[in-house]
Amino acid sequence: MSPMIVQPDDSVIKDAAAKLRAGGVVAMPTETVYGLGADTLNAAALRRVYEMKGRPANNPLIAHVHDVAAAQRVVRQWDERCGALAEAFWPGPLTLVLPKADDVPPEATGGLDTIAVRCPDHHIALRLLAAFGSAVSAPSANRSGHVSPTTAQHVADDFAGCEALLILDGGPCVLGIESTVLDVTSRVPRILRPGSVTVEQLRAILGDVDMPIIDSQGASPGTAAAHYAPNTPTILVPTCDLQRVLAKSTVATVVLCFSEISDVPPQYVIEMSGNAAGYASRLYGALREADECGADRIIIEKPPMDDPDWRAILDRLHRAAT
Ligand code: TXA
Ligand code: MG
């Protein structure tokens, strides 16, 4: 049996909120990727989310909130910097890490004393959060380590067999990669995971912001080197080497590229956008499609290294290819 994908009208949203209140799990669309949501204040419901995903218990979750007041309810501190960031970027793909409120259970934070909060820019998520009336913790709705889901069907594919799972269908996610995670517990805020909100945009509001090197292990707990990974072995190849590598290839290959390549069998080409926003929105769907080809390997043409618009994409590609 498969999970249930539903087109949410008012009565579905009401039922989904009731399900959350009863300790259930609901998959919801956001502008970044789909999330697997449960009540932030309900430890048993959160344990179910970890169990469904196969997620390590020390990998903390993001609490999704309808507005600043709902965020303030789950954090212990909210300073002027947070106010300015929320004003500039919420609803939107910016997650803030702050000291957690005392009654937030450890399951919501992977046992940490901090909690991540964000207000998603998606009308269905916002309607659900309004109806529920409190924070909803939601990791990306994929099995742990797998490619994140950007359609309701991706969620159903990862949780085939979870027939009790309700999936709210909000169509394809517009941005397609996860939010920027910013630690604001220290004097100089620090990016733990790059996303569509860039360090340049954050510096324009905050002044100093630390940005880790993108090739590294990842700064936030759970941003392991291998993550967002297709099942097929995946390598990144610079544009200048692409044609040569393909010409020498003797195994069935799926190629994700934005440059023109001449036909060198045996290969299957997935054409990607040369524009960062277009590329991001298509990326996870393309990786899933590449996996379904049953090829021996996936070759991804490496996007530009020095362009801020491509930074979050490169971060995900490095992890997909680890
Ligand atoms: O765009 C997104 O952020 C999506 C949608 C559903 O909102 N969610 C998402 O959740 O990507 P997840 O669980 O796949 O990734 C959460 C990231 C992880 O890298 C985790 O380590 C970090 O946020 N994180 C969460 N709480 C944290 C905390 N207290 N301290 C440091 N990092 C934290
Ligand atoms: Mg994830």
Side-chain angles (χ1 to χ4, degrees):
M1 280 286 278
S2 306
M4 214 185 346
I5 297 182
V6 288
Q7 306 298 322
D9 58 17
D10 285 349
S11 93
V12 169
I13 295 283
K14 215 172 129 211
D15 291 351
K19 196 163 182 178
L20 290 173
R21 237 169 262 129
V25 176
V26 175
M28 64 174 179
T30 80
E31 80 282 30
T32 59
V33 302
Y34 277 71
L36 197 61
D39 181 354
T40 298
L41 300 176
N42 184 331
L46 299 172
R47 278 197 292 275
R48 176 88 187 106
V49 169
Y50 278 91
E51 194 185 298
M52 284 176 71
K53 277 189 61 107
R55 184 175 178 105
N58 64 354
N59 189 350
L61 309 178
I62 296 174
H64 293 68
V65 293
H66 182 266
D67 48 34
V68 168
Q72 288 169 331
R73 167 71 188 79
V74 294
V75 305
R76 205 169 56 229
Q77 269 169 37
W78 182 271
D79 61 20
E80 271 172 25
R81 299 176 303 173
C82 301
L85 290 169
E87 178 70 31
F89 299 111
W90 281 8
L94 177 67
T95 295
L96 302 179
V97 173
L98 288 160
K100 78 171 186 71
D102 289 339
D103 61 346
V104 169
E107 284 80 356
T109 65
L112 296 174
D113 193 37
T114 53
I115 185 165
V117 285
R118 96 170 180 101
C119 175
D121 188 11
H122 194 292
H123 69 106
I124 291 170
L126 288 170
R127 275 161 65 201
L128 178 63
L129 291 167
F132 180 58
S134 170
V136 172
S137 292
S140 51
N142 51 280
R143 299 266 183 192
S144 187
H146 193 217
V147 178
S148 298
T150 51
T151 66
Q153 189 57 51
H154 292 162
V155 182
D157 291 345
D158 269 27
F159 295 100
C162 297
E163 53 184 288
L165 177 62
L166 174 64
I167 304 172
L168 304 180
D169 191 352
C173 300
V174 172
L175 296 180
I177 54 174
E178 304 82 352
S179 60
T180 303
V181 178
L182 184 71
D183 182 346
V184 272
T185 59
S186 51
R187 193 185 57 79
V188 178
R190 180 154 190 265
I191 293 185
L192 302 180
R193 180 178 69 183
S196 318
V197 174
T198 63
V199 68
E200 289 78 8
Q201 286 175 292
L202 294 170
R203 284 182 182 145
I205 306 261
L206 298 173
D208 245 6
V209 175
D210 276 350
M211 171 78 195
I213 304 159
I214 91 157
D215 265 12
S216 71
Q217 265 289 106
S220 67
T223 349
H227 208 87
Y228 314 109
N231 299 316
T232 316
T234 300
I235 57 169
L236 284 178
V237 175
T239 304
C240 58
D241 296 334
L242 191 60
Q243 198 69 53
R244 187 177 49 81
V245 170
L246 291 175
K248 282 205 303 201
S249 172
T250 52
V251 298
T253 301
V254 183
V255 192
L256 267 65
C257 58
F258 47 86
S259 302
E260 290 259 329
I261 50 170
S262 53
D263 218 22
V264 200
Q267 67 188 23
Y268 175 86
V269 177
I270 300 180
E271 272 182 44
M272 300 298 290
S273 171
N275 161 280
Y279 191 103
S281 68
R282 175 87 178 93
L283 175 60
Y284 290 144
L287 290 176
R288 284 172 178 260
E289 187 182 324
D291 252 347
E292 281 158 18
C293 294
D296 298 307
R297 67 170 175 180
I298 300 171
I299 288 183
I300 302 177
E301 179 180 7
K302 198 170 182 170
M305 287 292 285
D306 301 319
D307 183 337
D309 291 344
W310 287 90
R311 209 177 284 132
I313 296 169
L314 275 164
D315 169 78
R316 304 311 189 272
L317 291 180
H318 279 295
R319 293 177 211 292
T322 296

